[in-house]
Amino acid sequence: MEWTPEPHELADLELLLSGAFAPLTGFLGHDDLHAVHERGRLADGTPWPAPVTLHLPAEVSPGDEVTLLDPEGLPLATLTVTAREADGLVSGPVKGLGAPEHGPFARLRRTPAQVRQELGGRAALAVTMRGPLDDLSEIVATAKDLDALILLLPLAYGEGGPAVVRAALRAKEQLPPGTLVVSVPLAPRAEPELDLELRERVATAYGAVEHFPGPEPVTIPGPPHRRGLVVFFTGLSGSGKSTIARGLRDELLELGGRALTYLDGDVVRHLLSKGLTFSKADRDLNIRRIGFVAAEVARHGGLAICAPIAPYAATRAEVRAMVEAVGADFLLVHVATPLEECERRDRKGLYAKARAGLIPEFTGISDPYEEPDDAELVIDTTHLSVEAAVSRVLETLRSGGWVR
């Protein structure tokens, strides 16, 4: 089978393949993980600080060979599954199928073996970076004491990765000649001590005689009116969500001041998701596509308004995670107009057709609608005008600082 791992799993895979996680040659299984958690060592006693894991679908069994793909669908490696746990955790060795091409600054990614060859036996002071370096003088002094070259290792993972690499390139301009910059996709660990130990292991793999950990970046989010925002309406067909969403769009266009994108569920169905059915799998894919576009809009500071039915809680949560992963805000508006009222309005006759069995898998009739319990705003339009409903959403945006 083929499988695209999660971003942090892909980052670990790249470091396994490059040798930056030496002596590891694959993902850890139950015994190794237990030993790492308990003693900071692998089951055979080899020191190792942190878990390196992969989860795969239920149909995978020991002995299977899985092709691991990058986000663009290119094969990166094969995994020979040696064990699988009930929660989907798998272990086994990996074998590279080609150099990784995904992610930013690919030209700055080199293997530890390549870097050690470039060092030619010279000592190196490795500086691991998750943000800009505050003071270069200490690094210069330490390198001078060690008679070492400076090796900047920007840990380019996630949305902030490109900024870290740019910070390393700016620092290089102020450091002694011969300073090297090598981009390393090391995903951060939740526990600072483990993260630091793993950074030291990677620095050693790259040939460092000394490791200098750069300071953790202090992230101060910009004001809400400058951050990206996705206003995501969900509700039954006929609940009024599209009408409110269009009204909000018009109000925001009149106010000005924000780059605005409107993604209506029906319009998206005709364009972005043309050809999809109304099965659960295709509905989920439709919502993911909407979420992806909205997150891209928000990534660059824009405001996206979405108005699909989005009946499933898990898929809505995926969209929220997509948006928040790019540093933007997510506002879920549940248009909670009851089914009876939606059916009474039924201008398109959809509910009548669904009742007659002419439309299979129709939300609210033959397919469930999972009401959100995490909505930032709930509106019932049964006795509320469109203008009043739009005003409630707009007031929420103003009170949250997203609109001024």
Side-chain angles (χ1 to χ4, degrees):
M1 69 170 291
E2 296 181 334
W3 183 256
T4 302
E6 294 295 318
H8 70 280
E9 295 171 333
L10 277 171
D12 285 351
L13 173 63
E14 184 171 335
L15 298 180
L16 285 170
L17 296 175
S18 73
F21 274 176
L24 300 191
T25 58
F27 291 99
L28 302 184
H30 177 272
D31 291 345
D32 281 326
L33 288 175
H34 179 75
V36 166
H37 283 301
E38 293 295 320
R39 304 189 301 276
R41 295 176 177 273
L42 301 177
D44 64 4
T46 303
W48 187 258
V52 178
T53 59
L54 175 69
H55 286 79
L56 291 180
E59 57 265 27
V60 174
S61 302
D64 288 349
E65 190 170 271
V66 181
T67 301
L68 301 177
L69 310 176
D70 75 3
E72 297 176 358
L74 295 176
L76 283 179
T78 56
L79 164 72
T80 302
V81 179
T82 55
R84 183 187 182 281
E85 306 300 324
D87 62 355
L89 178 77
V90 298
S91 58
V94 292
K95 181 180 179 181
L97 297 175
E101 299 179 7
H102 65 286
F105 294 102
R107 65 182 179 84
L108 295 176
R109 298 212 295 266
R110 279 169 280 175
T111 67
Q114 290 170 332
V115 172
R116 289 196 300 269
Q117 183 176 8
E118 190 168 349
L119 290 173
R122 292 170 294 179
L125 168 65
V127 181
T128 56
M129 303 169 54
R130 291 208 185 276
L133 298 171
D134 295 334
D135 183 7
L136 299 180
S137 61
E138 185 179 356
I139 295 172
V140 173
T142 303
K144 185 176 181 180
D145 289 342
L146 295 170
D147 190 23
L149 289 176
I150 298 172
L151 173 61
L152 298 180
L153 300 177
L155 305 178
Y157 174 80
E159 291 299 317
V164 179
V165 177
R166 288 194 296 270
L169 293 173
R170 287 194 299 270
K172 179 184 178 182
E173 296 174 357
Q174 305 172 56
L175 291 169
T179 295
L180 302 177
V181 176
V182 178
S183 177
V184 179
L186 178 63
R189 267 49 183 183
E191 298 179 44
E193 297 82 3
L194 294 184
D195 192 62
L196 178 58
E197 287 186 49
L198 201 54
R199 288 163 71 166
E200 290 177 347
R201 293 298 299 241
V202 170
T204 300
Y206 275 93
V209 297
E210 188 78 27
H211 171 231
F212 184 99
E216 291 298 311
V218 177
T219 303
I220 302 175
H225 70 276
R226 292 186 178 175
R227 292 203 300 268
L229 173 66
V230 173
V231 182
F232 194 95
F233 290 87
T234 177
L236 295 169
S237 177
S239 62
K241 62 187 180 302
S242 294
T243 306
I244 300 170
R246 287 194 296 269
L248 177 65
R249 174 199 60 189
D250 294 346
E251 288 282 350
L252 292 175
L253 286 174
E254 287 185 31
L255 287 172
R258 296 222 50 158
L260 189 64
T261 300
Y262 175 62
L263 298 167
D264 178 74
D266 291 336
V267 175
V268 168
R269 275 278 179 181
H270 288 299
L271 297 172
L272 188 64
S273 295
K274 187 175 182 179
L276 294 185
T277 69
F278 287 89
S279 68
K280 184 179 187 306
D282 278 3
R283 288 185 187 193
D284 285 343
L285 179 56
N286 178 52
I287 300 305
R288 289 191 190 100
R289 288 178 177 178
I290 292 173
F292 174 78
V293 174
E296 289 301 300
V297 169
R299 179 199 299 272
H300 302 290
L303 192 159
I305 300 173
C306 313
I309 292 175
Y312 308 120
T315 319
R316 293 192 300 262
E318 283 186 51
V319 174
R320 183 187 289 272
M322 282 186 211
V323 173
E324 293 177 348
V326 301
D329 296 329
F330 185 84
L331 185 76
L332 183 63
V333 181
H334 178 203
V335 184
T337 308
L339 174 62
E340 296 76 15
E341 177 63 16
C342 296
E343 196 164 358
R344 186 189 67 78
R345 296 173 181 178
D346 201 13
R347 292 182 304 154
K348 301 177 183 178
L350 299 177
Y351 282 100
K353 291 179 180 179
R355 294 282 187 192
L358 300 177
I359 303 178
E361 298 175 303
F362 189 83
T363 301
I365 302 299
S366 52
D367 207 63
Y369 176 78
E370 299 173 359
E371 294 200 359
D373 58 9
D374 59 342
E376 281 74 20
L377 180 62
V378 178
I379 299 175
D380 181 348
T381 65
T382 303
H383 304 294
L384 196 66
S385 69
V386 173
E387 294 77 12
V390 171
S391 293
R392 286 190 59 186
V393 181
L394 193 57
E395 178 55 34
T396 300
L397 297 186
R398 284 198 172 106
S399 63
W402 292 292
V403 172
R404 298 193 300 177

